[in-house]
Amino acid sequence: METGEEFGPWLARQLKLTGKTQAELADELELTRAAVSAWITGRSTPRPAVMEKIARALNTDVGTVHTRTTDTQAGLPITWYHRPGYDDGGRDLGNAAAFAFDADVQVLARETCQNSLDERRKETGRPVRVRYTLHELTGKFLDDFRDAILWNDLFPHYAAVSETAAHQKVGRVVDAGVRDMYEKGRLILLRVDDYNASGLTGDDYADGKFAAVVRRQLESLKSGPGAGGSYGLGKATLWATSALGLVLINSTLSEPHEGRTERRVIGRLELPWREVDGRTYAGPAWFGRPDPDTRNAEVARSWWADEKTVERLHLTRESDEPGTSFLVVGAQDMAGLHEDDEKDADAGDEDTRDIGRMHRRLVEALGRDFWAAMTGGGGRLPLLEVFVRAMRNGEVVEEERQIDPSVEQPSRTRALRAYYEGTTVDRFTEAGQVVARRVPLSLPLSGGGRGSHGTHQAVLLVTDSATDAEQKKNGRPNQVHSLRGNRMTVKRATVPNLPLGTNPFQAVVLVGEAVEESTPFARDAEDFLRAAEPPEHDNWKQTEELTLRWSPSAYRRINALTTEVNNAVRELVARPRRGATEGGEALRSALTVKKKPKAKVPTGPVVPELDGLEASIGDAGEWRITAEVKIPRGDEIVPMVPVAQLDVRSGGRPRLDWAELVAVEGCEVENGTLRFPPGTRRARFQGSTDVTSHPVKATYSRLVVELRTGKGE
């Protein structure tokens, strides 16, 4: 049951909204100004008979005055406030933060679900519940929604943007979104609700979660090292997924603001610079109630909406449990066109707003990235519950489905539950077992100091893919999923150089508070690895944050952890060697091989050559390579620089940056250069390219790798 606001603050706000002073209200009530002042300061409350007079003065019903669960509808109406153009002529042609992400519902799912995990109310001991609802509106349902968001007031701004669509990216996206709505007579809404979360607390303008999400860019107020986000970029995925650049918000707060907690509503629109009726506008706009404290009451702020209003805006929440609902208006899924789906390809379906495909891709991404957060066992509760559904004009199209980690990621879920329940083993002796092994992460001293801050013991879990069905659901075999405190999968990597005949397996690495909050150096590991994550939170590597807080070589500690993990996995999954009297060994002992005379060792430097290359495309779109190097005999071996390029028909080959270079055998990697110990004849190294340096997607390109002397120029 919603609790009404205290009378004094509520009355003070209603006077602002209606433009009345305390003295004017006192005159209408035929009372003294001191009496009204006493109500507002909380020294007294009016009698029931006076409540009726106050209701008439505020042009509302007496029930609203008694309950005070909403503002009166008198005074300044809900409207759109568009930020005026800059006096110096500057132009913002789009939200730069949104360009960090594709219009991809899977990216949206990853970022929003991570945010909900970070905002989970831990004190309740319950998981945060997140629901994704796709809703297609047509006909009268579409007309009613457009009326609710004051579409006629917005249309001139969209028309102005469409006129400049040929000259900049955001304009083209918005123009296509508006045309789709009118030509196909539909609009796709994608709503993300979370429950048992903190909600958008704080003032409209001052520091707080509300202002960080609604008013500001690149601000993150995540608390604790276990939080997933740190760049303040994740919220931009909401607007990036909207072809109209429009997101509406309804938040139930975990702590009161202005004496209220329920139905705090606002909308934000992201458009590029535009000119409408001779007046210029800088970019963003807000949907809310005019703030009487701003100049000419122009700026729109959040308001406490009534139930009918949130229903018309498709923002009704299922309960009064704290959390936030984000409504992406005009949702699209451009990346869905590139998925490997033969059925869609055969049908020639290029609809970026197909709610069936979007539903399927949401389920896939949530199960892949958050299976661990949804897994419990041994007294440890899941951190997360996720549901997905699809509707059309209020009717169910896809029944609500709760994501089950044991269905989406069966082998990994079995491994994590075994760890929670204490049923892991040291060695494989039969199918279906889960092996646990401690692997060290040596943490560097902050500020570039020499030595180690301490060693955190991460946990490696390995299990087999027991059946063909499990292998299909698990995805690519022989992979390691790495995660930390919030249990979102951060890094996915294939174990290289596995012994021939290795049975398919899956592995999980728990680091930091994912092991246990009380594990030595768990919080330090969380802090270190969080700083090593790029904005996409899909890898651990050298970042600017890692360089500034630790050192330019801090990534070597992460590489060392990767090496420890890969070595441990290879040892655990290797099949026992045959005895010398069995198979090939017995055959070889019966053969006589004539030995060649030793070749004369040349003097002077020798240049290594690339002798073999295996390449594949990783889940993040990066090139992953394993390279074999052949080295002639010689006293001195020239250091070499691996260079990755894209093959083109003409002109210079575009060069790609390395996100990671790892020495596997017979070499060392130092600042991007391979160095070889004297006498080495063969070496092996691995690398993955930096996706941000790709001029085109890896799936549309061919890779060339060379070894060069000097600086690799």
Side-chain angles (χ1 to χ4, degrees), residues 144-216:
D144 289 346
F145 179 74
R146 286 194 297 220
D147 288 343
I149 63 172
L150 307 180
W151 176 256
N152 289 339
D153 295 344
L154 285 177
F155 184 76
H157 292 266
Y158 281 107
V161 171
S162 294
E163 290 178 3
T164 63
H167 306 296
Q168 43 95 16
K169 176 182 176 180
V170 177
R172 289 191 291 272
V173 172
V174 169
D175 180 63
V178 174
R179 283 191 291 104
D180 182 87
M181 180 175 64
Y182 279 108
E183 292 173 3
K184 297 186 178 180
R186 65 171 181 185
L187 184 67
I188 307 301
L189 308 179
L190 172 52
R191 204 172 100 183
V192 185
D193 306 307
D194 63 22
Y195 297 89
N196 192 38
S198 62
L200 297 184
T201 56
D203 187 71
D204 264 69
Y205 313 108
D207 291 347
K209 292 176 181 176
F210 181 90
V213 171
V214 178
R215 299 285 181 189
R216 304 175 184 179

Side-chain angles (χ1 to χ4, degrees), residues 235-295:
K235 56 181 176 278
T237 60
L238 293 160
W239 283 269
T241 308
S242 168
L244 302 180
L246 174 57
V247 177
L248 304 178
I249 303 168
N250 175 19
S251 191
T252 299
L253 313 185
S254 56
E255 54 189 50
H257 175 64
E258 298 176 341
R260 299 285 303 281
T261 58
E262 284 193 65
R263 296 190 299 275
R264 187 182 193 180
V265 176
I266 196 166
R268 177 168 175 140
L269 173 66
E270 287 287 353
L271 290 180
W273 179 95
R274 58 204 176 274
E275 184 174 351
V276 178
D277 296 332
R279 185 178 179 185
T280 61
Y281 296 93
W286 287 266
F287 181 56
R289 173 156 282 169
D291 189 341
D293 288 336
T294 61
R295 187 182 64 178

Side-chain angles (χ1 to χ4, degrees), residues 220-237:
S220 176
L221 295 181
K222 303 293 180 65
S223 58
S230 58
Y231 290 83
L233 278 170
K235 56 181 176 278
T237 60

